[in-house]
Amino acid sequence: EIPSQDGRLSDDDDSTEEAHDVVEELVKVGGLQIPAELDLSTFTALYIGDPAHSRQYVNIMLRFTSMSSKSPTSMWTYYPKEKKLDATLPSDIQRKLNRRFFLTQKARDATTFGILVGTLSQRHFTAAVASLQKSIQDADRACYTFAVGKINGAKLANFGEIDCYILVACSETSLLDYERDLHVPVITPLELDVALGNSDWGDYTLDYNDFLALAKDRAPPVEKEATSDGEEDAPYFSLV
């Protein structure tokens, strides 16, 4: 270390120390963590395993297909048992993504939400529930919280006043296989954030920690000014 003429360390040393404190932002895709700034458009994604009953495969492909500009050039699947390589993306992946967008649009019309706590072992789940409650209350809507085991239509039908449920669970169990059999939408925390107008539909993720990161960085809501009777009576149009 070379001091300057006044005896203090030079600015170069300070900048070096600051550089060591910078933490690289990572994005979780399935079980992988990749740099957020990494452009995947020059990569080919290869999934090894049978995707037929793999929740992790659905999680990964939903994330990749929703990326606007940085998604992999192609996505391949290798089946170890058959020793077969398939370079085509299953058509149901895009249908699943379209379905999630549809449910998000339906959630925009909901006035009463139910928060389903599907996990007690994951980290930060209590923070996720608290953040969901605050987001719903800030939007002038009502919410109730339920600790449930296995979700089924009979349980949810006991609460007829609920218009939409938000499931707080690990990323691999956030999408219900029998979701179409339920009488009300069941969405994820990030989908709720989009439905309430707090964020835009973009890179799709099932990890509620991504929702927590968005809520943490968000500025506090601005108090609404009093509106005239004419503005309050303005028409509202639903996309569903």
Side-chain angles (χ1 to χ4, degrees):
E1 298 178 348
I2 302 175
S4 59
Q5 293 181 352
D6 58 1
R8 295 180 298 177
L9 295 178
S10 63
D11 293 338
D12 291 340
D13 294 321
D14 294 336
S15 61
T16 302
E17 292 178 1
E18 292 177 358
H20 287 299
D21 294 335
V22 176
V23 179
E24 186 177 30
E25 184 179 357
L26 299 176
V27 173
K28 294 181 66 176
V29 180
L32 302 176
Q33 289 186 334
I34 59 177
E37 298 302 322
L38 180 63
D39 186 0
L40 297 176
S41 61
T42 58
F43 291 80
T44 294
L46 174 62
Y47 180 85
I48 301 176
D50 187 353
H53 304 289
S54 174
R55 295 177 182 269
Q56 188 181 51
Y57 175 81
V58 174
N59 187 1
I60 294 173
M61 291 305 149
L62 285 177
R63 185 64 182 262
F64 280 155
T65 54
S66 67
M67 289 181 174
S68 56
S69 60
K70 297 182 179 181
S71 60
T73 305
S74 55
M75 287 164 274
W76 297 355
T77 304
Y78 178 73
Y79 298 81
K81 291 184 178 180
E82 295 85 355
K83 296 183 178 179
K84 180 182 69 174
L85 181 65
D86 188 356
T88 60
L89 182 68
S91 59
D92 65 327
I93 294 297
Q94 187 60 47
R95 287 200 300 268
K96 286 181 181 291
L97 192 61
N98 293 342
R99 176 68 178 174
R100 302 316 305 177
F101 181 77
F102 170 74
L103 293 178
T104 301
Q105 296 302 317
K106 289 194 68 174
R108 292 180 184 271
D109 300 329
T111 57
T112 305
F113 291 90
I115 301 173
L116 301 174
V117 181
T119 179
L120 297 176
S121 59
Q122 295 289 318
R123 294 181 58 191
H124 310 310
F125 85 91
T126 53
V129 171
S131 186
L132 287 170
Q133 292 172 336
K134 185 177 185 306
S135 296
I136 294 171
Q137 291 168 359
D138 288 343
D140 296 326
R141 310 194 195 186
C143 70
Y144 300 90
T145 304
F146 306 92
V148 297
K150 182 177 176 59
I151 299 173
N152 56 54
K155 287 183 179 179
L156 301 187
N158 289 325
F159 308 98
E161 67 274 17
I162 304 297
D163 301 316
C164 179
Y165 286 96
I166 307 104
L167 177 58
V168 180
C170 68
S171 57
E172 293 185 16
T173 58
S174 292
L175 299 184
L176 303 177
D177 296 332
Y178 46 89
E179 170 267 324
R180 289 179 179 271
D181 298 332
L182 303 177
H183 69 291
V184 290
V186 178
I187 62 175
T188 67
L190 195 64
E191 290 169 348
L192 174 73
D193 210 49
V194 176
L196 295 180
N198 295 328
S199 60
D200 298 324
W201 183 268
D203 293 353
Y204 190 82
T205 174
L206 296 173
D207 190 347
Y208 64 75
N209 288 291
D210 293 331
F211 161 75
L212 280 176
L214 284 174
K216 181 179 179 181
D217 296 338
R218 186 178 303 133
V222 179
E223 293 185 3
K224 298 180 181 179
E225 297 181 357
T227 58
S228 62
D229 294 339
E231 291 177 340
E232 290 180 354
D233 295 336
Y236 168 76
F237 299 98
S238 172
L239 297 178
V240 180

